[in-house]
Amino acid sequence: MSKSLQISLPKTGRFFPLRRIILPIAIAIGLFWFSPPALALTDIQIANIAYKDCGEELSEGIVASGDMSAANCFIISGTAKNTSGKPVYDADVFGVIYDANGNNIMPNRTRIGNIQSVPPGNSDFEFRISVPANLPTPFKLDKFKARGFSGQVKPLLYENSLDSLD
């Protein structure tokens, strides 16, 4: 009598490979349907860009970033045009500012400021910048644009919320 050698393989069934494919697809579809909405970036057009001195009360004792040299304070203002039809939050403002000699006064950064909220349509904005006091004026403001989110991405601290801390 000859003994035959039998190899025992685990029973996988004929649909085992199919289960390995269907389960990850079902999980991916479930995550897609139940995930929070994406906060898309929305472009904001900037017009009527201008600057003015801050005035003594805002610029008293101001120093340049990174050292203790004197600095000047300026308010950048303009009109933000939101054509999305929805409010835009936490919009970063980008641009280039040149001094009277044509030198970029902030060569290592193009993000100049922030607008907390931009309603649909046109709205005025302003924010403050500090520049070294030795830069010659007038400044030339160029290539300004903004980009923000369709929903709030972080809690914003508003000025009137500071009053409630007193």
Side-chain angles (χ1 to χ4, degrees):
M1 291 180 112
S2 71
K3 290 187 175 181
S4 64
L5 182 62
Q6 291 183 344
I7 300 174
S8 172
L9 295 174
K11 294 186 179 184
T12 58
R14 82 181 226 218
F15 296 108
F16 180 71
L18 192 57
R19 279 189 270 159
R20 293 181 97 177
I21 295 171
I22 291 177
L23 184 61
I25 290 174
I27 291 172
I29 289 172
L31 289 175
F32 174 76
W33 285 109
F34 298 109
S35 64
L39 300 175
L41 285 174
T42 303
D43 290 330
I44 304 294
Q45 299 171 6
I46 301 293
N48 305 325
I49 196 78
Y51 75 94
K52 64 182 178 184
D53 288 327
C54 286
E56 290 297 320
E57 68 181 41
L58 289 177
S59 60
E60 184 178 344
I62 196 167
V63 294
S65 176
D67 60 15
M68 296 299 290
S69 61
N72 289 333
C73 172
F74 295 96
I75 300 287
I76 304 287
S77 62
T79 303
K81 183 177 182 182
N82 177 2
T83 58
S84 72
K86 300 177 185 175
V88 174
Y89 302 96
D90 198 26
D92 289 324
V93 179
F94 302 94
V96 181
I97 304 174
Y98 298 102
D99 66 9
N101 296 328
N103 298 316
N104 185 347
I105 67 170
M106 297 181 181
N108 295 325
R109 57 183 257 213
T110 57
R111 182 188 175 277
I112 305 297
N114 181 275
I115 306 171
Q116 291 179 348
S117 178
V118 183
N122 293 339
S123 58
D124 294 332
F125 70 90
E126 63 180 29
F127 55 85
R128 188 177 86 166
I129 64 167
S130 300
V131 299
N134 62 351
L135 294 177
T137 58
F139 296 139
K140 178 185 174 198
L141 308 176
D142 195 26
K143 299 177 185 173
F144 270 71
K145 63 181 179 180
R147 181 175 271 182
F149 296 93
S150 58
Q152 291 187 359
V153 295
K154 63 181 179 180
L156 297 174
L157 180 64
Y158 295 102
E159 289 179 17
N160 56 359
S161 66
L162 293 175
D163 296 336
S164 64
L165 297 175
D166 293 336

